[in-house]
Amino acid sequence: MDQGIEAEIHDMRRDGVSLSQIQSWLKAVGVDGLINRRGTTWRQLPDDLRAQVEDPKTAAAVVTEHVALIKRPVVVSGEQVFVGFSDALKVHLAQS
């Protein structure tokens, strides 16, 4: 259904995500907001890497190598970052 909203789709698994992009997302939504701890990638991650992901100072480097740790979708609209299909995202899109 076309809502008249322009979007650029980026396949994180295929195309990767830059370290600086992940750092900006982490700054905007935090580790808890960005990291998917329910997925297979998290469950298979060694404990030392899990610990690095929990630390905001080292999380981006690990996530760059394991982009499947990122909750999806990530929607960037101007300076705002939305992760997942949240109510905040729905309201934002309705107002766009």
Side-chain angles (χ1 to χ4, degrees), residues 39-70:
T40 304
T41 302
W42 177 260
R43 290 192 302 270
Q44 293 177 349
L45 208 61
D47 289 341
D48 62 323
L49 290 181
R50 283 187 191 188
Q52 289 178 42
V53 170
E54 297 296 345
D55 182 349
K57 294 178 182 177
T58 57
V62 177
V63 175
T64 300
E65 296 299 317
H66 301 277
V67 295
L69 290 170
I70 299 171

Side-chain angles (χ1 to χ4, degrees), residues 7-64:
E8 178 182 325
I9 307 298
H10 179 87
D11 186 331
M12 289 186 259
R13 289 182 183 206
R14 185 187 68 216
D15 303 325
V17 183
S18 72
L19 178 64
S20 63
Q21 186 65 67
I22 293 171
Q23 288 170 328
S24 72
W25 294 345
L26 285 167
K27 184 177 178 182
V29 301
V31 171
D32 290 337
L34 189 65
I35 302 304
N36 177 8
R37 291 183 182 88
R38 294 182 178 181
T40 304
T41 302
W42 177 260
R43 290 192 302 270
Q44 293 177 349
L45 208 61
D47 289 341
D48 62 323
L49 290 181
R50 283 187 191 188
Q52 289 178 42
V53 170
E54 297 296 345
D55 182 349
K57 294 178 182 177
T58 57
V62 177
V63 175
T64 300

